[in-house]
Amino acid sequence: QGCKMIYITSFGYSTYVEEISTQFPEIKFAQCLGDNVKKNLSCYSARTYEARYLAGIVAGLKTTSNKIGYIAADSTSECVRDINAFTLGVKSVNPDANVYVRWTNSSSSYNEAKYRAEELLIGGCDVLTQQLDNINLYKVAKEKGAFLICNNFPVPEIAPNFYLTTVCSNWGVIILEEVQKYLEGTWEAQFYWEGLSSGAVGLSELSKVCVPGTKQSVEEAMRKIISGELKVFAGPLYDNNQNEKLEDGMELSFHDLWYMDWFVDGVKSNLY
């Protein structure tokens, strides 16, 4: 149809996009969550784990049961990385709290998310978050009186007395840069992995339901992450079986981050 740039917005299409990009070498492609850069194929992602760390601070300060529920679709490295960062954020302000993970095995299974949310609430969790987009989670939390940290879309109006904040991504930061380079004739395929410093990820406005002082704690952590003073995944790090994964003073490599397949101490779950 004449499109000169095509953005693929889900990692599930990776294999097809790699094939089709070779058939149309004059077209510029960009693949979300991919890492196989080619001559006319960029790959882009966001360091959502940096924003999840901030969300963990919000949750860690809010919980009184020290049990926080996290519902995720599947155990891809992105989900595992984000769950770990969230837990580290929780632990940074509340060492006694733990994060209880439940899986839906689907990003669109509304009933499954509802069941997992109910399971977590029955187990004593008083703060819930999710790494999928499911309105049922908000309804269940509202009915049971649990607090919410949402994903992608701020919807405080759904549960104004229980909503805390939302973890957001701003893909425009990456896309606008790519389109501008194309228009200028300077476009080259590359790998993008943008975070807090570029505005590609962040938290929406904190609600009045948050604990006093939360905003200051979040802003301080954000400033330190952007400046490099705070590394989300820095040693010492232990997994949830108490095995040392990273020595004190060390930092995870890109490869270890990108392909993360283990949980940090404080995560109550197993990879399925």
Side-chain angles (χ1 to χ4, degrees), residues 5 7 9 44 170-180:
M5 299 187 76
Y7 282 81
T9 59
Y44 67 101
N170 179 10
W171 298 112
V173 169
I174 297 171
I175 294 173
L176 287 175
E177 179 180 334
E178 279 243 306
V179 172
Q180 185 63 39

Side-chain angles (χ1 to χ4, degrees), residues 144-207:
K144 303 297 183 180
F147 297 99
L148 293 166
I149 295 176
C150 300
N151 187 55
N152 285 331
F153 304 104
V155 284
E157 66 277 5
I158 293 180
N161 294 324
F162 303 99
Y163 170 86
L164 297 174
T165 187
T166 299
V167 175
C168 299
S169 298
N170 179 10
W171 298 112
V173 169
I174 297 171
I175 294 173
L176 287 175
E177 179 180 334
E178 279 243 306
V179 172
Q180 185 63 39
K181 288 180 178 178
Y182 175 80
L183 294 174
E184 295 171 350
T186 60
W187 186 94
E188 291 184 359
Q190 60 182 291
F191 176 79
Y192 293 88
W193 201 19
E194 301 293 332
L196 289 173
S197 61
S198 69
V201 300
L203 294 186
S204 66
E205 182 179 0
L206 302 182
S207 78

